[in-house]
């Protein structure tokens, strides 16, 4: 289908984009890679009156070391993330997003702002306890990943706010793994699991698990985390903790999978991800 009519403006800077958004009101939208927004517009599920294009802003792109972790420009594309091995599990998850064409256009800021629970990067940022830096007409603020995702495709960003950067804390000393189950290669996740494990003397010192597509928002698998934290790391404790991975989830049924099948997948993928992150065999 053809999108409804809209005005188009190419932003010259982040400040220019924020001013244009504020002037455009609630019907104005940022356009980054366009790989989530344009399909919605073509289906007429979104009909913004103004698109403010930030796709050409070099100041929004790049990865820098900061505070022991990384500051990632909000307009950094998935393809760039995928090529930065130092980003660990975020690079791995980015490499599993769709196909190379999508990764060449889609951006981390667009993925987080879109708030689709089936997206890969939101659950990774949640597990890493990262945050986003945003700028709006009222100034700048930081939003923790845990406060960003409010409901299905709904975030705590105000209509005039732009994600300028994504803060990924250091995960040095943590083992990590990302497991994604899809029907075909390069598809969206039916379920995805990001696991981070910090171990010492054969025990789990700390663990964080982010779930993709298990609720209207990305989720932490808190019951599984609580079961493993402090426990010896062996195949038995990992399997027992993974059995709790779907506790508190609310996965939507769809053409690919029933809610019960998704819960099953969450348990299986969490077991695999925890084993890989903790280096546990069997
Ligand atoms: C065929 C296909 C397959 C895909 N498969 C996957 C997949 O497997 N996994 C996955 O995670 N994703 C997948 N995606 C989505 C892809 O990763 C998108 O590129 C991404 O979700 C959105 O990024 P974008 O830059 O394209 O955002 P856009 O489409 O330009 O924007 C999306 C939303 O974010 C807002 N926005 C954009 N940038 C900012 C910013 N800096 N600050 C505030 N708001 C902003 C826009 O206003 C809009 O509301 C797929 C997309 C396609 C087309």
């Amino acid at each position: 289908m053809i999108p409804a009519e809209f005005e188009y403006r190419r932003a010259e800077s982040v400040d220019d984009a924020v001013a244009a958004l504020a002037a455009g009101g609630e019907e104005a939208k940022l356009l980054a890679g366009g790989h989530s927004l344009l399909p919605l517009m073509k289906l007429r599920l979104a009909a913004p009156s103004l698109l403010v294009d930030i796709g050409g802003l070099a100041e929004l792109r790049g990865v820098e070391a900061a505070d022991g972790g990384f500051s990632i420009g909000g307009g950094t594309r998935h393809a760039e993330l995928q090529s930065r091995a130092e980003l660990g599990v975020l690079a791995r998850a980015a490499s599993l997003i769709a196909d190379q064409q999508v990764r060449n256009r889609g951006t981390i800021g667009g993925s987080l702002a879109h708030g689709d629970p089936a997206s890969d990067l939101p659950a990774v940022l949640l597990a890493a306890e990262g945050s986003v830096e945003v700028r709006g007409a009222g100034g700048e603020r930081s939003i923790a990943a845990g406060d960003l995702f409010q409901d299905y495709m709904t975030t705590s960003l105000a209509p005039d706010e732009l994600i300028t950067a994504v803060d990924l804390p250091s995960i040095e000393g943590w083992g990590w793994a990302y497991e994604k189950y899809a029907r075909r290669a390069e598809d969206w996740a039916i379920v995805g699991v990001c696991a981070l494990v910090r171990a010492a003397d054969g025990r789990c010192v700390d663990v964080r698990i982010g779930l993709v597509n298990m609720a209207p928002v990305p989720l932490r698998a808190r019951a599984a985390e609580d079961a493993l934290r402090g426990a010896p790391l062996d195949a038995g404790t990992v399997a027992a903790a993974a059995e709790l991975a779907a506790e508190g989830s609310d996965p939507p049924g769809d053409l690919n999978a029933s809610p019960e099948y998704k819960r099953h997948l969450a348990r299986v993928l969490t077991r695999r991800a925890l084993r890989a992150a903790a280096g546990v065999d069997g």
Side-chain angles (χ1 to χ4, degrees):
M1 263 169 61
I2 297 173
E5 210 169 86
F6 58 90
E7 277 183 53
Y8 172 87
R9 167 150 181 201
R10 198 172 169 84
E12 315 239 306
S13 65
V14 168
D15 288 339
D16 182 39
V18 168
L21 269 189
E26 294 212 359
E27 298 304 314
K29 280 264 175 204
L30 293 171
L31 177 71
H35 272 46
S36 290
L37 182 55
L38 295 182
L40 287 185
M41 290 171 63
K42 287 186 171 182
L43 292 167
R44 302 247 174 158
L45 293 171
S49 55
L50 169 67
L51 286 188
V52 180
D53 189 350
I54 54 172
L57 296 182
E59 64 181 297
L60 279 177
R61 288 199 290 271
V63 177
E64 283 175 13
D67 301 327
F70 295 94
S71 172
I72 302 167
T76 307
R77 295 181 175 136
H78 305 324
E80 168 78 7
L81 301 175
Q82 151 186 26
S83 72
R84 306 290 294 249
E86 66 271 32
L87 297 177
V89 68
L90 190 82
R92 170 70 182 149
S95 77
L96 297 175
I97 294 174
D99 51 41
Q100 195 63 47
Q101 279 172 301
V102 172
R103 296 195 293 271
N104 283 343
R105 296 291 307 170
T107 66
I108 187 168
S111 177
L112 298 171
H114 191 55
D116 184 339
S119 295
D120 297 285
L121 302 183
V124 173
L125 197 70
L126 194 65
E129 298 191 347
S131 55
V132 293
E133 303 298 323
V134 306
R135 196 181 303 172
E140 296 185 322
R141 65 182 178 129
S142 177
I143 307 173
D147 297 326
L148 181 63
F149 309 107
Q150 302 274 300
D151 203 343
Y152 183 68
M153 290 196 181
T154 306
T155 69
S156 53
L157 290 168
D160 68 350
E161 281 182 325
L162 183 156
I163 297 175
T164 52
V166 178
D167 297 324
L168 182 72
S170 168
I171 51 168
E172 211 179 314
W174 294 73
W176 55 261
Y178 187 73
E179 290 284 337
K180 174 171 177 172
Y181 185 80
R183 264 164 60 97
R184 300 170 306 188
E186 304 183 339
D187 258 356
W188 290 87
I190 295 177
V191 173
V193 176
C194 173
L196 299 172
V197 176
R198 199 150 58 83
D201 302 327
R203 300 188 86 81
C204 172
V205 176
D206 205 356
V207 53
R208 301 180 193 153
I209 302 166
L211 300 177
V212 175
N213 215 15
M214 287 297 291
V217 289
L219 278 190
R220 287 280 288 272
R222 298 277 184 194
E225 292 179 1
D226 292 345
L228 197 58
R229 196 173 291 111
L233 280 172
D234 57 46
T237 54
V238 164
E243 278 304 299
L244 303 173
E247 296 281 307
S249 67
D250 181 20
D254 53 37
L255 288 176
N256 281 320
S258 64
E260 194 39 54
Y261 182 54
K262 288 186 182 175
R263 288 190 190 97
H264 168 73
L265 282 177
R267 292 188 283 266
V268 171
L269 297 179
T270 298
R271 191 173 69 232
R272 288 182 192 162
L274 285 174
R275 275 186 192 162
V280 167
D281 293 329

